[in-house]
Every structure is written in structure tokens, then in C-alpha cells.
Amino acid sequence: MNSLHYTLQAGEQRFALRTAQRDLPALAANQVLIKVGAASLNYRDWLVLHGLRDTRSGLTPLSDAAGTVLAVGSAVTQWQAGDRVSPAFFADWHDGSFKPQHMASALGGANRDGVLAQHIIADAASLVAVPDHLSLEEAATLPCAGVTAWHALFERGALQGGETVLVQGTGGVAMLALQLASAAGARVIVTSSSDEKLSRARKLGAWQTINYRERENWDEVALEMTDGAGVDHILELGGPTTYTRSLNAIGYGGRIAQIGVLSGFDAAPHITPMQFKNASINGICVGSVKHYERLNAFLTKHRIHPVIDRQFAFDDAEAAYTTLAGASHFGKLVISTN
């Protein structure tokens, strides 16, 4: 079968995004052929494009997609033609604890081709069903950003109703975390440099908002908002420029989910205060297939629709990357392959 896909080709300063035709191989017994309906971008994809994540020339980028099953291998019983499915970020992390070998199965990274294609082939065990109430475009926002937020708040964070959550920014992980936490009865604080984005966050259910350009000491503001108790959960998305403030804002017994590197990879905060707060830091690197299934069950129960800022045509993928780099989006950027 002949199909169009994108590849990254080595250039002088960064990889170039190119389209190419390829012949898809015959399905192995445990594999599934999927017609991709949509894919979405994450900050990781910008890093891959610029060769900051061990990118190889010829790689098909992006990790997040949703589509429709066209055919299944001879041993596949859980899927059939016509099913709507989405591949997990880590194709080999099905359940249980994360293992070193799982890292190599991350889609759209150094070792495993991704999903920016008209058709992909995936292992049957790496797929989850798309919730009936979601479009393929909405489902395509979930494998990285949605699962990361779910893993941080519920699998490792054990979020309870009435607790406070602080999320940094208004990107994909942050807005999905806002929606999930609000649905669970938590009080969510959102930080951003844009009053317009903060207004939109309040409409999504944010309890409080902080413009960190106007109030650089957002950690002190968060403490005031919680009457000095501190925040129960912080999704740490910024990195070196935000970490010290997160350590100050976290409450006694609180949990910081270490997720983002928006300001770099060299966060080296003074973590002694965590000891005397009996607080913890959880490293979060997306999640497993089972995490994804439980996320989808929660989304279905609460009828949550992920926020999509803009959609791009398949032949306009370069513009989607440019928009991602500009960081002006609210929620997710999606590329439609239809």
C-alpha cells in the first residue's frame, strides 16, 4: 500500500520537514493498519525538529494521533476494521512500572517513527479506543498531553476533591490538567502572561488566575490565595525559571509533578524545603497504555472535550510547527489528515 508521510531531513541549522511516499509493509500477526484522521503537536516535537532530542534523519515525527482501523493482523482479536483508535505514546509500556526499555518505544523520537502520516502501522496492544463523544481531532490531543496530566494528577498525585492544583501556562498539558482537576472537584490556579488566556481559563473552570508578568512573585500570590497553606499539587512545566517558586508555593504534604522543560533542562533548585514540608517531587514522563485507558474512561464519564486552538491541513504542517514555536496558542494544535 502506498501512502504519504512526513520525514525530518538533516539541514544546516535544524531538520527540514519533507513529504514522501512510502510503501507500507504487510501486517505482522499482531499489527493494525490505521488511517490517521488527525495528529497533534507537543513542545517535544519542536525539540525533535531542532535536533535537541537525538533526532535521526528520515524520522517520521509526532507522537499523538487518532484514526480508523483499516485492517488487522491474523492474531488480532480486540480490534476490527472501522474501530476508532489512538496509539499510546510509549508503544511498549502497557502497564505497571516504567522500565528503561520502554523509552525506546516512544513514537516520533530517535528510535521509533511517529504518526505524521496518512497511514500508520501499530502493535494492537499499544492502541486504545477513542471515546464515542470525541472527534478524532480531539482524541489526537491526548496521547502525550492528556496522559501526562492524568498520570501526574491521579496515578501519582492521588488527587482528591477540594485540593488545590497550580498549572503553569495554558498549553496542552496545562489546559487538560485544568479540565481534569476541575471535573474531580479540585480548585485550580492557572498562571499565564496573557490576561486574555487567563479569561479563557476561568471559563474552563479555573478557580484563580495569576498574570506572572504583572506579579512575578506568583508563588507568594499562590500562598496568599491558599491562606498560607500552599498548593497541594503543582504541575511544574517551566523548568529552571519556575522551579524555585514552585518549591515555595507547594504546601505541606504537597506534590510537585516534574514535567516540563520550557525554559531548559538544567533545573537545579534548592530542594531542602521539600523535606521540612514532607512534600514530594514526582518525575512524570507521559504514561502507559493503561493510564491512557483510565484517562479516556474519566473523559467519557465527565463528557470532557479537549481544547483545540487551531487546526491545520496535512499539507500545511510546517505552519503548525511555526505556530507551536510562537507559543501563542491556548490548548492544542492539531493537523488533520483528512
Side-chain angles (χ1 to χ4, degrees):
M1 179 180 181
N2 194 260
S3 179
L4 189 66
H5 70 132
Y6 276 91
T7 64
L8 300 182
Q9 299 299 320
E12 292 183 3
Q13 296 182 334
R14 46 153 272 192
F15 284 82
L17 197 61
R18 298 284 185 264
T19 56
Q21 293 284 341
R22 63 178 173 182
D23 288 323
L24 295 174
L27 292 178
N30 66 336
Q31 290 182 326
V32 175
L33 173 64
I34 302 165
K35 182 183 185 299
V36 177
S40 75
L41 285 83
N42 299 286
Y43 182 66
R44 169 193 186 244
D45 300 312
W46 186 91
L47 297 177
V48 168
L49 183 69
H50 288 77
L52 302 179
R53 301 294 290 168
D54 299 324
T55 312
R56 62 173 170 83
S57 189
L59 177 79
T60 298
L62 304 195
S63 59
D64 293 15
T68 306
V69 173
L70 293 182
V72 301
S74 60
V76 176
T77 59
Q78 67 269 51
W79 308 112
Q80 61 184 4
D83 286 344
R84 301 193 313 152
V85 296
S86 176
F89 181 94
F90 289 112
D92 295 343
W93 186 13
H94 301 147
D95 198 6
S97 300
F98 187 71
K99 305 297 183 186
Q101 61 268 25
H102 293 151
M103 187 63 73
S105 71
L107 300 181
N111 298 288
R112 189 73 67 99
D113 278 332
V115 298
L116 190 52
Q118 292 178 328
H119 302 86
I120 58 172
I121 292 175
D123 292 340
S126 72
L127 302 174
V128 302
V130 171
D132 290 340
H133 75 289
L134 296 184
S135 66
L136 291 179
E137 288 78 10
E138 291 172 324
T141 69
L142 299 173
C144 181
V147 173
T148 295
W150 173 265
H151 186 188
L153 292 172
F154 295 92
E155 302 288 343
R156 301 279 292 285
L159 178 70
Q160 301 295 313
E163 292 184 329
T164 52
V165 177
L166 185 144
V167 298
Q168 298 169 351
T170 55
V173 175
M175 290 302 91
L176 281 159
L178 165 61
Q179 292 176 284
L180 296 172
S182 295
R187 301 180 302 169
V188 183
I189 303 170
V190 178
T191 70
S192 173
S193 61
S194 165
D195 285 337
E196 188 271 333
K197 288 182 178 180
L198 291 174
S199 175
R200 294 177 67 181
R202 286 192 290 272
K203 292 177 182 178
L204 279 178
W207 170 61
Q208 300 278 7
T209 58
I210 305 170
N211 186 319
Y212 63 78
R213 288 282 171 81
E214 296 176 356
R215 307 193 70 178
E216 294 183 3
N217 62 331
W218 57 262
D219 51 330
E220 298 292 341
V221 178
L223 287 170
E224 293 172 7
M225 290 174 171
T226 56
D227 297 323
V231 180
D232 297 305
H233 304 263
I234 294 178
L235 270 64
E236 172 48 58
L237 299 167
T241 63
T242 55
Y243 223 113
T244 297
R245 294 194 184 280
S246 290
L247 293 174
N248 187 42
I250 197 67
Y252 290 81
R255 297 175 174 91
I256 294 176
Q258 166 58 37
I259 297 170
V261 293
L262 294 176
S263 62
F265 290 88
D266 298 321
H270 178 63
I271 64 171
T272 301
M274 299 293 285
Q275 176 182 350
F276 297 104
K277 289 182 176 182
N278 280 303
S280 59
I281 298 173
N282 292 325
I284 304 293
C285 189
V286 197
S288 68
V289 175
K290 287 298 182 182
H291 290 160
Y292 197 176
E293 290 176 348
R294 291 193 283 268
L295 163 65
N296 279 342
F298 187 90
L299 294 174
T300 298
K301 177 181 178 180
H302 295 280
R303 312 302 288 181
I304 295 172
H305 291 268
V307 178
I308 296 174
D309 184 273
R310 287 185 61 186
Q311 295 187 41
F312 299 84
F314 186 70
D315 60 2
D316 204 19
E318 186 77 50
Y321 274 89
T322 300
T323 302
L324 177 70
S328 62
H329 55 288
F330 181 92
K332 295 290 290 182
L333 302 173
V334 171
I335 297 171
S336 176
T337 59
N338 293 319

